[in-house]
Amino acid sequence: MLSVYIRALTGMGESMGKILIKQGHLVNPASQTDKVCDILIQGNMIAEIADEISDEDAEVLDATGKIVMPGLIDLHVHLREPGFEYKETIKTGSMAAAHGGVTTICPMPNTNPVIDSPERVKDLLERARDAPVHILPVGAVTLGQQGKELADIKGMKEAGAVALSEDGKSVMDALLYRKGLLEAAKYKLPMFSHCEEKSLVDGGVMNAGAKAEELGLPGITNAVEDVIAARDIFMSKEAGNRLHLCHCSTRDSATLVEFAKKQGLPVTGEVCPHHFTMSDDEITEDHGRYKMNPPLRSREDVQALKEALRDGIMDVISTDHAPHGEEEKNQSMKKAPFGIVGIENSFAIGYTELVKRGYLTLSQLVEKMSVNPAKVLGIDKGNIAVGKTADVVVADISEEYEIDPEEFFSKGKNTPFAGKRVFGKVETTIVDGEIVYSEKRQK
Ligand code: DOR
Ligand code: ZN
Ligand code: ZN
C-alpha cells in the first residue's frame, strides 16, 4: 500500500516553490503537443517547457513513463454542502476531485438552501476558499428550484456563478424558462440543462425495457429526456444563449446535438462515464447502486454515445458525481435516491473504455475532460503553456488497478464500478502550482 498525500481544506497551501516535472509524456491538445519533455512550474504558473531543464532549487517529480496533462475540469458535480453534509462536504468532494486528477469543479446548486442568490454564491465561494481544487459555482434558474420565480441571475453572475442550471429537474414552465434563457444570454452564462419531462417520468426508477420488466421495476423511457432536449435546443435558439446538455444518455440526444451543431447553434453535449460504459442489461439485481438520473440505457444507446464522442458530436465528459449515504443507497431502486459517485475514476474509465477501445485518442480524451469544458465556461484553462496557471496532472496509463470505494476520499461509496479493473491511475495532481494529491509523496 502506497502512502498518499492529500491537501484538505487547510488553507496551508503554498505555491511559491518550484516543481520540475521530468521526462513525462506531455499530452496537451491546446498546443497539439504529444511528446516527452520537462516542465518547470514556478509559483502558480508554468515557467518553462523544454526537452531538458535543470533547476537545483526545484522539487523534482520523475514522470518517466507517465503522461502529463492539463488538470481535468468536471462541469457537473454535487458537493452537498450546505445542507446534506452527511453525503459530502466541500472538503471531501474537493479532495475526491484532487484524487481523480480534477483541478476545477462546478458544483450544482441543488443544496439546502439552494444556490439561488448572490449571497448563496458568495457563501459557497467563501466556504470553498481553501479547497484544494478550483470551485466554480453554478446558480439555480429559479428560486429554491421551485420553478415559480426567476432567481437573480445578474446578481449571481456578479457574485461569481459561471453557469446556470436547475439540475435535478427541468424548469417545466416553458415561459418562465424562456425568461431564464434570455437572462442567461444577456449575462453570458451558459445554461446547463438537465433534460427530464417530469410528467412522463411516472414513477420510473430505471430504463424502460426488458430488464425493468424482469426486475419488476417502473421504467423511464428515452422520450423523458429527448423531448426536453429538443425543447431546450429550440428555446435556446430563440433566446440566443449557450446551451450545454447535461448527462446525455440516449441516442436521440446525440442526434439532437448533432442537429443543433449543423445549424451552427452554440450547443454542447456532455456524457457521463457510466452512460458510455454500462447498459441496463448489466444490472444484476434491484439495488440502489444502479440508480441514477438519467438511468443506464440500452446497449444501442451506449454504443450511440461512444460514437457521438468519437465523431465530435458530444463535447464533454463530466461525472454527475452524486454522493449519497450508504443506507440510502443500500436498498431497492424503488426507494434509493438517484445518483452515483464518479469523480475519482472518471479519467480511468474514459481511458479504459474509450481510448483503449479505439473510440478516442488520448489527446481527444483530454480535450473532452479539460479543453472543451474550459471552452464551455469561457475560462483560460485546459492548457499547459508558459504563463498559464499550473493545473497539471501526472498519470500512469500502463498499470491496471481495481476500483475500490474504500480508497475514495468522497463520503459517497455508491458506484456500480466497484471491483472494475481499469487503466489510467492518477499519481499527482497540481493545482495553482501546488501538489494537492500525490500517490508517492509523504508529508
Ligand atoms: O442521478 C442524479 N443525481 N441525477 C440528478 O439529476 C441529480 C443527482 C443528485 O443530486 O443526486
Ligand atoms: Zn441532472
Ligand atoms: Zn447532477
Side-chain angles (χ1 to χ4, degrees), residues 185-220:
K186 189 167 171 188
Y187 299 108
K188 300 202 178 338
L189 285 169
M191 180 64 80
F192 289 5
S193 175
H194 166 115
C195 299
E196 182 182 10
E197 168 55 63
K198 199 176 165 190
S199 63
L200 275 183
V201 177
D202 199 24
V205 297
M206 66 171 284
N207 187 45
K211 195 55 150 192
E213 277 169 35
E214 183 190 316
L215 295 172
L217 293 170
I220 301 170

Side-chain angles (χ1 to χ4, degrees), residues 78 80 110 167-168 194 247 292-294 320 322 324 338-340:
H78 295 273
R80 310 299 192 202
N110 62 340
D167 190 54
H194 166 115
H247 44 50
M292 75 293 286
N293 189 13
D320 198 4
H324 290 291
F338 286 101
I340 60 165

